[in-house]
Amino acid sequence: MKVLFISFKRYAGILDGGGMANQRNVTMAQQMYGEDNVDVFYVHDEGKRRSLGNYLQTLIHMPRGYYNGFTPKMLRSIADRAHEYDCIFINTSLFGIIAKHLKEIGYKGKVIVHFHNVESVYYEHRLPKRMPFRQILIRCAALNDRYACQYADRIVVLNQRDAQMIAKEYGRTPDAIANIALKDKFTGADEAVMTNRKPLCLFMGSSFAANNEGVLWFVQHVLPHVDIDFKVVGRGMAKLQAAHKCLQNVDVVSDVPDLAPYFAEADFMVLPIFSGSGMKVKTCECLMYGKNILGTDETFEGYDIDDAQIGGRCNTAQEYIDALKHYAAHPIPRFNQYARTLYLEQYSEEKSVEVFRQLFEG
């Protein structure tokens, strides 16, 4: 089988959560059919600067359903190549217009669309209320979600919540739920090390609305009331620090190529996420590294988690304060074997192969 993946961008450096999920999809296909039979079409290359003309094209084409720089010319290029492939895998529902066009021109292969989120809901939460062209982008996202549901042969989502929302909004029951899964990067830990009485707490995540909201909330409402060391590590987070006075005395590390040393030193991951869709890739990373996690309902959405064994579920400032004070007084192992085992049993790449085989061949 020959497969063509359509992805939003080729990353020049550090992958964000969406990039990790997309790479997982490509890796699954390569494992099943061989690297020579799997190609990727990138709409953007992060290593190349986008010109003013690119942005003008975005404004012109987005009301017609062409998301964020995707153009009719790119659509024609994909259509011209489509006959070379048995399957076109669209790595985001934001390009549902591709599924529509392929079916309208009579493409005989299988079209699969991966929903990272219910995108219209995601952008409602993500975009600032006063952002220019906000409603155009949200309508574009919703239109592409609808095209994906109407024209794709298979659609796959990350969790049951998104499956229910898609069924309600677009009348399409997803064909598969493929949980977040990551390639294992963990190299081991000293299981005897206990957490510190002044625990080092780490927020891990790139700079975008839901993460920024969570970091600022934690610094303003929790950090003044607990005796902890707090560190923020993530792509673009230096800009957030520069923009907010409350972060000036917080240890912020931005754009590091290797996250493993930061995971290793952390006593607890604190992930106060309150909005979004899909599943949080950072949660899967924490499981992979065997970390204690204090997270919200949104942090754990889609994960089969035992709150007591993972660290704790905290949805309010007081719940975070109480949990951190408890663990400061009662240290526990820094390495959480339950988290690591859960990753291996449910969220490793090996566990995704069968779901993807059914998508391609079922």
Side-chain angles (χ1 to χ4, degrees):
M1 178 178 285
K2 287 187 67 66
V3 183
L4 176 65
F5 279 83
I6 313 296
S7 288
F8 180 59
K9 64 182 175 181
R10 184 199 305 270
Y11 287 85
I14 305 163
L15 294 176
D16 60 18
M20 291 180 185
N22 288 341
Q23 186 57 52
R24 183 277 304 265
N25 297 344
V26 174
T27 300
M28 291 295 100
Q30 290 173 336
Q31 289 180 7
M32 290 186 287
Y33 305 117
E35 292 186 16
D36 291 342
N37 292 314
V38 177
D39 295 326
V40 184
F41 178 99
Y42 293 102
V43 173
H44 295 297
D45 187 335
E46 199 176 59
K48 300 177 181 178
R49 293 190 63 182
R50 296 173 67 182
S51 68
L52 177 60
N54 295 142
Y55 288 105
L56 290 175
Q57 281 190 331
T58 294
L59 293 178
I60 292 169
H61 295 305
M62 189 173 288
R64 298 164 53 205
Y66 292 87
Y67 169 77
N68 200 6
F70 190 59
T71 64
K73 182 179 178 180
M74 292 178 185
L75 184 59
R76 290 192 296 270
S77 178
I78 292 168
D80 290 343
R81 298 175 57 185
H83 68 277
E84 302 171 16
Y85 298 93
D86 304 293
C87 176
I88 308 294
F89 193 111
I90 303 170
N91 249 336
T92 167
S93 61
L94 289 166
F95 296 141
I97 194 171
I98 300 173
K100 176 179 183 291
H101 185 69
L102 289 174
K103 291 304 178 181
E104 287 178 343
I105 65 172
Y107 172 66
K108 301 300 182 184
K110 183 174 294 183
V111 178
I112 303 172
V113 177
H114 181 211
F115 281 73
H116 287 260
N117 311 281
V118 182
E119 296 294 353
S120 57
V121 174
Y122 175 72
Y123 278 104
E124 281 279 4
H125 289 296
R126 176 177 179 177
L127 299 179
K129 297 294 185 182
R130 296 183 179 180
M131 175 183 172
F133 312 110
R134 180 178 186 271
Q135 287 305 316
I136 292 176
L137 204 158
I138 292 171
R139 285 196 294 269
C140 180
L143 183 61
N144 277 281
D145 276 353
R146 183 172 292 108
Y147 285 157
C149 290
Q150 184 175 351
Y151 292 98
D153 298 294
R154 300 279 190 276
I155 63 172
V156 55
V157 297
L158 292 174
N159 58 34
Q160 186 62 39
R161 178 181 67 178
D162 284 5
Q164 292 171 346
M165 291 177 68
I166 288 169
K168 179 180 178 181
E169 292 294 324
Y170 304 114
R172 172 77 182 264
T173 300
D175 300 279
I177 296 175
N179 290 331
I180 286 291
L182 297 177
K183 183 178 181 180
D184 195 358
K185 298 179 181 179
F186 182 66
T187 58
D190 186 345
E191 299 181 21
V193 175
M194 302 294 284
T195 57
N196 294 297
R197 289 194 175 273
K198 185 177 182 180
L200 173 57
C201 298
L202 181 67
F203 180 95
M204 184 80 72
S206 59
S207 178
F208 76 92
N211 285 345
N212 298 348
E213 173 192 34
V215 168
L216 294 171
W217 176 87
F218 186 86
V219 169
Q220 292 167 351
H221 299 286
V222 178
L223 192 56
H225 307 288
V226 292
D227 185 21
I228 65 171
D229 290 319
F230 180 58
K231 183 178 292 188
V232 176
V233 179
R235 177 183 172 124
M237 280 299 184
K239 293 181 179 179
L240 183 71
Q241 183 181 40
H244 293 275
K245 186 176 181 180
C246 66
L247 296 178
Q248 298 311 302
N249 295 321
V250 174
D251 189 359
V252 175
V253 182
S254 194
D255 304 315
V256 294
D258 183 10
L259 297 175
Y262 299 96
F263 277 111
E265 70 178 358
D267 293 312
F268 292 91
M269 306 300 298
V270 292
L271 304 177
I273 307 301
F274 298 100
S275 62
S277 186
M279 293 174 70
K280 305 301 173 283
V281 175
K282 64 177 68 64
T283 305
C284 190
E285 285 186 279
C286 296
L287 297 178
M288 179 177 69
Y289 282 102
K291 302 310 299 182
N292 302 304
I293 309 171
L294 299 175
T296 59
D297 289 342
E298 189 62 40
T299 303
F300 297 128
E301 178 62 41
Y303 291 91
D304 184 12
I305 294 282
D306 183 326
D307 299 349
Q309 293 193 70
I310 201 64
R313 188 177 298 255
C314 306
N315 288 304
T316 67
Q318 192 60 52
E319 287 172 343
Y320 266 106
I321 293 166
D322 291 345
L324 289 166
K325 287 184 175 180
H326 170 80
Y327 286 121
H330 304 90
I332 60 174
R334 180 181 290 174
F335 177 73
N336 188 314
Q337 184 60 61
Y338 166 77
R340 175 65 182 169
T341 300
L342 187 63
Y343 161 78
L344 292 172
E345 292 181 350
Q346 296 191 40
Y347 305 108
S348 63
E349 278 191 346
E350 289 75 10
K351 296 300 179 182
S352 296
V353 172
E354 189 54 40
V355 172
F356 277 82
R357 192 177 300 281
Q358 288 295 320
L359 278 173
F360 286 113
E361 301 174 6

